[in-house]
Amino acid sequence: GEGRFINYSTENFEIPEAPASDIMFVVDQSGSMDDDQTRLNNNFSYFISNLNSYTTDWQIIVGNNSGGCNNAGQVLTPTTAGYENAFQQAVRSGTDQNVNNPEALLKTAFNGVNNTDAGECNYGFLREDALLHVILVSDEPEQSGDWAAYTEGIVNKKDPLDLTKTKISAIAGD
């Protein structure tokens, strides 16, 4: 065969900036979670390392208190001094979380996301331009009850017109 040169062409691919990410952890505070909380804490630096390869515009809260209030004391970011230690302490504290049902994590997350307006306990966490990822950690099945209503409430608080801006993940029992 024989080829003929026709023309040069150049294609430009624009790689979008890593999106801002707001991440809320809700961790079961029941007594059976000690070993799971330890594993979560031991793997946090691995989680952050992988997260940083995706985006460095992240912030994290641990909503283990009543109302899903941030138990880390502040919104954790890459520039927060001692953020790993603050996360690890927050994972292991939150004694008033759904006192009668500590495995109702979706309800706690719903409350936490809805407490992000001015004057509320998680103010400043939800950013308009950021993706929201809620991570629930328990050794038991989810026990919030009406999971569809809580999920819809979280999505609606973030952005009811763009479902891709909200992710909810669970590391939980069957």
Side-chain angles (χ1 to χ4, degrees), residues 120-162:
E120 295 178 326
C121 63
N122 292 331
Y123 176 67
F125 171 64
L126 268 188
R127 298 175 291 171
E128 188 175 323
D129 64 330
L131 302 174
L132 171 63
H133 196 147
V134 176
I135 302 172
L136 312 173
V137 182
S138 179
D139 61 348
E140 298 290 334
E142 170 52 38
Q143 298 178 25
S144 293
D146 192 355
W147 65 268
Y150 291 123
T151 300
E152 184 177 342
I154 292 169
V155 169
N156 285 339
K157 180 68 174 185
K158 176 57 190 163
D159 188 343
L161 301 177
D162 188 353

Side-chain angles (χ1 to χ4, degrees), residues 18-29:
S21 297
D22 296 337
I23 303 166
M24 175 185 217
F25 282 86
V26 182
V27 182
D28 179 352
Q29 295 297 298

Side-chain angles (χ1 to χ4, degrees), residues 52-133:
N52 283 334
S53 69
Y54 177 67
T55 182
T56 55
D57 188 6
W58 54 263
Q59 53 183 30
I60 294 174
I61 64 172
V62 181
N64 285 349
N65 283 326
S66 62
C69 294
N70 181 16
N71 205 42
Q74 62 185 312
V75 175
L76 306 176
T77 69
T79 60
T80 302
Y83 67 79
E84 187 168 340
N85 187 45
F87 174 86
Q88 291 170 340
Q89 288 179 1
V91 162
R92 291 191 170 277
S93 58
T95 56
D96 62 345
Q97 171 207 63
N98 291 318
V99 174
N100 296 322
N101 192 355
E103 285 91 12
L105 302 182
L106 194 55
K107 177 181 178 183
T108 302
F110 168 82
N111 290 335
V113 168
N114 280 288
N115 279 322
T116 56
D117 294 325
E120 295 178 326
C121 63
N122 292 331
Y123 176 67
F125 171 64
L126 268 188
R127 298 175 291 171
E128 188 175 323
D129 64 330
L131 302 174
L132 171 63
H133 196 147

